Amino acid sequence: QVQLVESGGGPVQPGGSLRLSCAASGIIFSLYFMGWYRQAPGKRRELVAGISNGDSTNYADSVKGRFTISRDSAKNMVYLQMNSLKFEDTAVYYCRGIGQNDYWGQGTQVTVSS
C-alpha cells in the first residue's frame, strides 16, 4: 500500500518559516521524482518545487530564494523548507511522487496570517 503523508503545516505570520515533511512508503523512493504542489482556494493546483532522484531541483518563480526542497532517501522523506512566508503562500500543500505510477498525499494546510 502506497502512502504519502504530509506534516508540518499550520498557521504562521508573514515573514515566518515552516518546514513541511512528506513520508513515503510502499514505493521504491529512490526511483521517484518528488514534488510539492499547492492549491489555494479558487485556484488550480500548481507545482511549488520538485526534486529528481538525482537531486536536481526546480522551483516556481514565486518561491525561488525562499523555499528549499530536499530529500532523504535513507528515510524515504522529502522536505520543503519555507522561509519569508507571504500571505499568498496560503494554500493546501500536497506531496506528489511520480515514477512507475503517480501518487498524491492528502495535503497539509498552510495559512499565512497576521
Side-chain angles (χ1 to χ4, degrees):
Q1 180 183 3
V2 176
Q3 281 191 310
L4 299 179
V5 181
E6 302 97 335
S7 61
V12 62
Q13 293 185 339
S17 298
L18 282 176
R19 187 193 194 206
L20 304 183
S21 300
C22 173
S25 59
I27 60 173
I28 303 175
F29 184 77
S30 61
L31 299 182
Y32 275 69
F33 171 93
M34 300 300 297
W36 284 99
Y37 292 69
R38 67 186 180 188
Q39 188 166 20
K43 296 187 177 181
R44 66 178 185 177
R45 195 172 296 186
E46 62 176 358
L47 174 68
V48 175
I51 185 165
S52 72
N53 53 5
D55 290 339
S56 296
T57 58
N58 62 292
Y59 296 92
D61 287 343
S62 59
V63 307
K64 282 181 181 176
R66 299 188 298 122
F67 291 11
T68 303
I69 189 170
S70 61
R71 64 192 292 162
D72 184 338
S73 292
K75 297 180 179 179
N76 285 11
M77 297 288 294
V78 61
Y79 305 99
L80 185 68
Q81 178 66 43
M82 305 187 294
N83 299 327
S84 302
L85 282 159
K86 305 176 180 180
F87 292 117
E88 52 264 42
D89 294 317
T90 294
V92 178
Y93 284 71
Y94 297 90
C95 178
R96 183 184 185 187
I98 303 174
Q100 185 175 10
N101 293 295
D102 189 350
Y103 299 104
W104 291 87
Q106 82 289 349
T108 185
Q109 176 71 48
V110 172
T111 302
V112 184
S113 173
S114 55

